[in-house]
Amino acid sequence: MMTLHLWSHPYAAYGQKASVALYELNLPFELRLVDAADEAGMAAFRAVSPFGKMPVLVDGNRRVVESSIVIEYLDRLAGGGRLIPGDPETALEARLIDRIVDTYVGGPMNRIIPRKFRPAGNEDPWGDAQDEVVLAAGWDWLEDRLADDRTWGAGEAFTLADCCAAPILTYARRLVPFGDRPRLRAWHGRLMERASFVRALEDAAPYGDLMPAPPPRD
């Protein structure tokens, strides 16, 4: 197998989603750092990323974009049946949780965060409020989905759902707290202790705290 290259930034939630999968599957890879200050590096990144989005996985002549598809590819590369379960119903649940977290948690999060970097006088409190409502609805949906006391996002095995949720929940709860959602809080606690996510957070640690919101207090 050729060396896998992951174009990303260690602090980026969707990059962490991919690196968690790589660590879970024990697939060695090299990080190609996406650094906006590196003009040559950014030109190389844009050459492999059609929309300028992270992460991008490069495996020889193959370029794989979109974090969920990257994980599907990696699971197949590692033999299949781990992050994408072999059981069709469990696989469907893993993909469902992944889509809900990406769309209704990660989506609002990725709209709120850029607005926090706008110059004074260009804030969008109405937009923030609308996205916070969507994000809170995502928390409610997940809390209800976890009512069967499953250990991980899609059941008793760590899957695509958990690779997605680990970083996105960690960042998004700094914008909209979990509040009184004990099952969601417990799942996130397990994610924070998962060795693959601990490694992803260790990769990010040298870059400091780049999240423009305080740590959660709930």
Side-chain angles (χ1 to χ4, degrees):
M1 185 175 68
M2 299 186 68
T3 300
L4 298 171
H5 295 271
L6 183 69
W7 285 86
S8 186
H9 189 286
Y11 202 91
Y14 289 93
Q16 287 182 11
K17 176 179 168 179
S19 63
V20 167
L22 286 157
Y23 289 138
E24 280 288 328
L25 298 169
N26 198 29
L27 291 172
F29 68 100
E30 292 183 5
L31 175 69
R32 299 295 300 271
L33 182 65
V34 178
D35 179 0
D38 178 2
E39 292 186 9
M42 289 302 294
F45 169 60
R46 293 188 191 97
V48 300
S49 180
F51 303 105
K53 300 292 185 180
M54 301 179 281
V56 177
L57 182 78
V58 178
D59 181 12
N61 294 323
R62 186 143 193 187
R63 303 168 185 173
V64 187
V65 300
E66 289 298 309
S67 58
S68 300
I69 305 303
V70 168
I71 293 174
E72 295 249 7
Y73 180 82
L74 291 172
D75 190 69
R76 188 176 68 182
L77 193 65
R82 290 180 59 185
L83 299 180
I84 309 299
D87 173 66
E89 287 299 320
T90 310
L92 187 65
E93 183 71 5
R95 291 186 175 102
L96 173 62
I97 299 295
D98 171 76
R99 290 294 80 225
I100 294 297
V101 173
D102 263 7
T103 304
Y104 299 106
V105 179
M109 177 185 78
N110 284 331
R111 290 188 293 269
I112 294 170
I113 291 173
R115 290 197 289 259
K116 290 185 177 295
F117 290 99
R118 289 181 178 181
N122 290 276
E123 297 86 354
D124 183 7
W126 187 88
D128 286 351
Q130 295 300 304
D131 281 322
E132 287 167 5
V133 168
V134 175
L135 211 165
W139 290 160
D140 287 338
W141 189 91
L142 290 167
E143 178 72 10
D144 182 67
R145 202 71 178 183
L146 295 165
D148 57 4
D149 294 324
R150 63 185 70 177
T151 301
W152 299 107
E156 295 311 301
F158 190 97
T159 67
L160 162 70
D162 305 287
C163 295
C164 175
I168 294 178
L169 267 60
T170 298
Y171 292 144
R173 71 177 297 196
R174 295 173 67 164
L175 301 172
V176 174
F178 287 156
D180 185 21
R181 299 178 179 94
R183 292 186 289 267
L184 180 61
R185 186 189 307 275
W187 176 35
H188 184 249
R190 292 189 288 274
L191 292 170
M192 290 294 293
E193 294 177 352
R194 187 75 175 189
S196 55
F197 187 45
V198 170
R199 290 183 68 180
L201 291 176
E202 289 172 348
D203 292 342
Y207 296 90
D209 188 348
L210 303 179
M211 181 70 176
R217 297 187 180 184
D218 65 327

